[in-house]
Amino acid sequence: MAPKKKGEIIVIMGVSGAGKTTVGQMLGKEMKYKYLDADDFHSESNKEKMGKGIPLTDEDRMPWLESLRDATKEHIVNGNGVILGCSALKKQYRETLRSSDPDYKMGSYETSAVSFVLLEAPAEVLSVRLNKRAAEGTHYMPASLLQSQLDLLKIDESEGILTVDATLSPQSIVKTIIISIFQFQDSFHSSQC
């Protein structure tokens, strides 16, 4: 009997307003992967805090990140693919998410079942998007918290995070991600031969 294939988690990351949900849902449909929105895993107290314009602390975020880790671990172990829309602003947060892969060794980014795609856009574009959402009443995150998220966002080049221009159309972003994923997989498998 062949060993069970390990699942894969693709985290669509970035600050609020970058398009994580829109792109994540489209990518999930395209790849036939389940989509999970990290916002659905926040406690009511975290949502209330953000709704009042109060940035979350690391202490606020850790139980949330651990619940995301546990939810995605189940999919990896069962051989399923998942797209997770999550801010994942700091390396420490991404390490918690990577630890959902039972085989992950810290720093072994290329072999992890968890990969990251950063949706990046200028602050002005993000602010317009957040103000629009606020006017529509479709999200609890106010535009006033955008700067605190931008300040927290730290990317270490060694992590190999794919960065995509979030001002492109969602369709173009999804196409870019899919092409990049397959190019990376091909180059990784070639290097293993």
Side-chain angles (χ1 to χ4, degrees), residues 9 20 25 27 33 44 123 141 149 152 166 187:
I9 310 299
K20 297 181 297 290
Q25 288 173 341
L27 184 62
Y33 281 12
E44 282 306 312
M141 178 83 167
Q149 285 199 326
L152 269 183
S187 67

Side-chain angles (χ1 to χ4, degrees), residues 2-185:
K4 188 167 187 167
K5 179 185 178 280
K6 187 162 74 168
E8 172 184 38
I9 310 299
I10 300 171
V11 181
I12 305 300
M13 62 172 283
V15 299
S16 195
K20 297 181 297 290
T21 301
T22 300
V23 170
Q25 288 173 341
M26 288 176 69
L27 184 62
K29 282 183 185 163
E30 193 70 31
M31 295 184 71
K32 297 179 179 30
Y33 281 12
K34 180 176 180 138
Y35 175 74
L36 297 176
D37 192 322
D39 287 344
D40 296 338
F41 290 76
H42 270 300
S43 66
E44 282 306 312
S45 61
N46 278 2
K47 289 179 183 179
E48 286 173 21
K49 198 171 182 180
M50 288 184 284
K52 292 176 183 173
I54 303 168
L56 297 180
T57 64
D58 285 351
E59 292 74 29
D60 295 324
R61 286 187 179 94
M62 282 321 292
W64 168 67
L65 290 162
E66 289 166 353
S67 69
L68 291 169
R69 177 201 59 210
D70 296 345
T72 53
K73 181 177 190 169
E74 180 182 322
H75 291 281
I76 290 172
V77 170
N78 291 324
N80 301 317
V82 169
I83 306 298
L84 173 64
C86 178
S87 54
L89 300 172
K90 291 169 68 174
K91 186 175 181 179
Q92 166 193 352
Y93 306 161
R94 293 187 293 277
E95 284 298 314
T96 300
L97 296 174
R98 284 185 186 102
S99 71
S100 64
D101 178 353
D103 300 325
Y104 177 68
K105 304 285 184 264
M106 196 167 201
S108 60
Y109 308 124
E110 300 84 26
T111 59
S112 176
V114 182
S115 58
F116 293 84
V117 177
L118 171 63
L119 300 182
E120 194 171 61
E124 306 76 46
V125 171
L126 298 166
S127 184
V128 167
R129 290 178 182 177
L130 290 175
N131 285 324
K132 181 177 183 240
R133 282 195 328 200
E136 295 168 351
T138 58
H139 202 271
Y140 56 82
M141 178 83 167
S144 62
L145 288 179
L146 176 60
Q147 192 57 53
S148 69
Q149 285 199 326
L150 290 168
D151 292 344
L152 269 183
L153 180 62
K154 303 285 184 260
I155 303 299
D156 181 337
E157 284 192 33
S158 70
E159 292 180 85
I161 295 172
L162 172 65
T163 301
V164 180
D165 180 353
T167 64
L168 298 172
S169 72
Q171 296 82 358
S172 295
I173 294 170
V174 168
K175 184 178 178 182
T176 300
I177 293 168
I178 290 172
I179 289 169
S180 297
I181 288 169
F182 289 113
Q183 284 176 342
F184 174 78
Q185 288 174 345

